[in-house]
Amino acid sequence: MSKNFSDDRNQQQGLQMNRRKFLKAGAAAAVTMGLMGTVGAMPAVAAEAAVGSSVTVNGARSKLKPTGQYGPASVKFATFNNEWLGTTKLVGEVKNINEAETGFSRAGRGLYGKESQIGRGYFIRKDPAGAAEHDTLMILATEPAVQGKVSPVKLNVPDPEQMSQNIKDFAYYLRADEVGIGKMPDFAWYSHKVTDQHALAVNDVEKAVTPVTDRLPYVIIVMVDQNLETMLASTGYDQISGAQSFLGYHATGVIAVVLANYIRNLGYNARAHHARNYKAVMTPCIISAGLGELSRTGDCSVHPRLGFRHKVAAVTTDLPLLPDQPIDFGLQDFCRVCKKCADNCPSGAITQDTEPVEYNGYLRWNSNMETCTKFRTTNKEGSSCGRCMKVCPWNTKEESWFHSAGTWIGSHGQISSKLLKGMDDMFGYGTEQIDKYKWWLEWPELLATPEKMPGLVKY
Ligand code: SF4
Ligand code: SF4
């Protein structure tokens, strides 16, 4: 059952404390509320982290960004082995997924109804900015772009750590916000990739897919922020929502294609994966590369500084590299008590269960992929949806000592998680819309009749 949040938005915002006034009031107000006492109780190193310095870095150090990019969160390192993918317990065989069974592919096959099947072909075109970003990425989706020729001259790479540093620096130079290197999880590869959209549209899966036989040992993840101000001004499911996703998708796609080309110029195999041409599921790769933990949504990872407010692309490669470790910033405890994404999901797709369940070999929370995909492909108020991204406390950040302290607190178990969640709710983080940041134009007629748009491309 869909919820309508528009009607009570003003009322909610009226009840919430004006956090800007509070932040201006500074430490005096904090002392009144007893929050400085909490900061004062932190260990010295952590208290330093809470006011803005960085934690120890993972893996090879970048020269351009030599310290950790985790923000104020308290981060430990976890492992990737047969039993654990970071903080996610592996309780059985994780089967490789056929791309034809993913949410948007199932919508394209007509399994979620006609409206969703048609909507899947044009929802991004409900906003001209989203369509522009999408179409640009399509130009980079060809096989020569993602997997071109490898140079016949293989250059010597004597030091994998130095090479890893160089790869991270090149990606930062190309304007990535985060870069991580992971051991490629074998189960992250798709078993089959959709290669024939026409066959998919008539649900001829056998003809629509091709087996994926690639097996390269490392994955490089490049991550781009979806823009704080845009998120603060948006509902998360309005006209800019699809464009915000494709900001991250097209930007990371460009970086991944160039990075893969660079590695092939060194004489090593490299394949770019982006939103218009994946051969692998990204979330296990993100976790392996130390850029997030699996969240309550089941399919999406949260980064300790950016939350969900990011998109990624990847490069798989056999270039000699030093992989990073997965990270643990306390998200499992936090998600157990928070449920803010579930409370705010307009389609009710995210579980309210307290404990994770077994799903395809993972112990994880399980969201309803069908309900979410149907909403995103048929949303009458906007293009797609990212409401869960907007409300998650880990990405609703402004630069302030107050939020830094809260984020540090949130990394320390369930009781502290309740405190951060309470602070987040009290200040209206994640649910407000700040008009001064609304930079985009809207065309409601495109929401009503996008299928009549010139240049409609179904995919
Ligand atoms: S994108 Fe997130 S908030 Fe929107 S419908 Fe899907 S799960 Fe719910
Ligand atoms: S909103 Fe809360 S429950 Fe949902 S992913 Fe973020 S921290 Fe976890």
Side-chain angles (χ1 to χ4, degrees):
M1 176 77 66
S2 295
K3 298 179 196 171
N4 187 343
F5 293 95
S6 308
D7 299 339
D8 60 1
R9 192 176 300 138
N10 291 339
Q11 190 189 356
Q12 272 182 22
Q13 289 192 2
L15 292 171
Q16 285 154 357
M17 187 176 294
N18 184 322
R19 76 166 181 268
R20 278 175 190 74
K21 283 188 188 149
F22 176 83
L23 294 173
K24 276 184 197 157
V31 169
T32 306
M33 299 187 68
L35 293 171
M36 280 305 279
T38 312
V39 177
M42 295 175 189
V45 173
E48 189 188 339
V51 291
S53 71
S54 304
V55 295
T56 309
V57 295
N58 191 0
R61 287 166 189 257
S62 147
K63 282 191 178 177
L64 295 178
K65 296 195 181 182
T67 53
Q69 302 294 308
Y70 304 126
S74 182
V75 177
K76 294 179 284 189
F77 297 120
T79 52
F80 171 28
N81 55 32
N82 290 337
E83 292 183 15
W84 292 94
L85 175 62
T87 56
T88 299
K89 179 91 175 137
L90 302 176
V91 289
E93 182 194 358
V94 181
K95 295 199 174 69
N96 298 81
I97 294 170
N98 185 330
E99 193 183 15
E101 298 300 335
T102 59
F104 282 116
S105 292
R106 287 176 73 81
R109 290 163 60 190
L111 302 182
Y112 297 160
K114 200 71 193 164
E115 191 184 359
S116 181
Q117 186 179 33
I118 294 168
R120 182 246 192 191
Y122 67 69
F123 74 87
I124 197 65
R125 316 205 76 77
K126 291 178 180 174
D127 178 61
E133 291 164 338
H134 169 270
D135 295 352
T136 303
L137 188 57
M138 284 299 283
I139 296 167
L140 293 175
T142 60
E143 283 307 303
V146 297
Q147 195 161 13
K149 287 197 177 120
V150 178
S151 166
V153 181
K154 187 174 256 190
L155 298 176
N156 188 25
V157 179
D159 182 350
E161 183 170 2
Q162 183 196 45
M163 193 69 239
S164 300
Q165 179 187 64
N166 176 255
I167 288 293
K168 287 183 178 179
D169 282 325
F170 188 44
Y172 285 129
Y173 159 84
L174 293 171
R175 296 185 180 273
D177 289 312
E178 291 288 340
V179 191
I181 298 171
K183 282 188 286 180
M184 180 64 185
D186 192 58
F187 50 78
W189 295 100
Y190 281 141
S191 65
H192 296 76
K193 173 169 177 51
V194 174
T195 46
D196 184 340
Q197 292 289 343
H198 298 290
L200 193 77
V202 293
N203 200 19
D204 184 348
V205 172
E206 204 175 327
K207 191 172 170 207
V209 300
T210 305
V212 172
T213 53
D214 310 39
R215 289 295 184 270
L216 294 169
Y218 300 112
V219 59
I220 304 158
I221 293 287
V222 292
M223 184 176 273
V224 164
D225 186 343
Q226 287 188 53
N227 190 261
L228 172 65
E229 288 82 3
T230 306
M231 189 198 71
L232 289 173
S234 156
T235 62
Y237 55 97
D238 50 16
Q239 202 157 14
I240 198 65
S241 175
Q244 226 190 324
S245 280
F246 267 88
L247 155 70
Y249 283 138
H250 99 270
T252 53
V254 170
I255 296 169
V257 165
V258 175
L259 191 57
N261 199 345
Y262 169 60
I263 294 171
R264 292 193 299 270
N265 286 343
L266 301 177
Y268 296 84
N269 292 297
R271 206 265 186 202
H273 305 257
H274 60 64
R276 300 310 301 142
N277 194 335
Y278 290 123
K279 271 192 176 176
V281 186
M282 289 295 100
T283 302
C285 301
I286 295 170
I287 298 170
S288 175
L291 293 183
E293 287 188 57
L294 196 58
S295 73
R296 168 170 289 280
T297 62
D299 290 318
C300 299
S301 64
V302 165
H303 180 274
R305 179 171 59 85
L306 296 173
F308 289 112
R309 202 185 69 232
H310 61 73
K311 291 293 184 200
V312 303
V315 175
T316 46
T317 183
D318 56 8
L319 182 70
L321 292 170
L322 174 71
D324 295 313
Q325 293 288 305
I327 55 172
D328 175 0
F329 57 98
L331 186 72
Q332 305 312 302
D333 278 345
F334 199 94
C335 282
R336 195 170 276 114
V337 300
C338 169
K339 304 184 183 177
K340 202 161 171 171
C341 52
D343 292 340
N344 282 274
C345 170
S347 73
I350 302 174
T351 180
Q352 292 276 355
D353 288 354
T354 301
E355 295 302 327
V357 297
E358 185 173 344
Y359 177 82
N360 188 30
Y362 297 100
L363 198 61
R364 53 167 246 188
W365 284 284
N366 222 3
S367 58
N368 189 326
M369 178 173 73
E370 177 174 348
T371 311
C372 168
T373 307
K374 271 187 185 167
F375 182 81
R376 285 194 282 169
T377 48
T378 63
N379 177 7
K380 303 285 189 297
E381 290 185 57
S383 164
S384 195
C385 177
R387 180 77 178 173
C388 46
M389 170 194 81
K390 180 178 168 74
V391 302
C392 179
W394 290 98
N395 63 18
T396 51
K397 293 177 178 63
E398 292 173 301
E399 292 299 326
S400 75
W401 61 269
F402 169 77
H403 200 91
S404 295
T407 305
W408 183 89
I409 291 164
S411 312
H412 288 80
Q414 289 190 37
I415 293 173
S416 357
S417 299
K418 281 182 186 158
L419 178 59
L420 173 55
K421 204 253 179 184
M423 288 160 60
D424 212 72
D425 289 343
M426 181 173 71
F427 283 87
Y429 278 120
T431 51
E432 64 184 353
Q433 286 169 255
I434 303 174
D435 280 345
K436 72 172 179 176
Y437 296 133
K438 188 172 178 189
W439 57 268
W440 64 94
L441 302 177
E442 289 181 334
W443 287 272
E445 63 269 35
L446 294 181
L447 297 178
T449 54
E451 69 274 26
K452 292 184 182 155
M453 273 185 71
L456 176 67
V457 178
K458 291 188 176 174
Y459 62 90

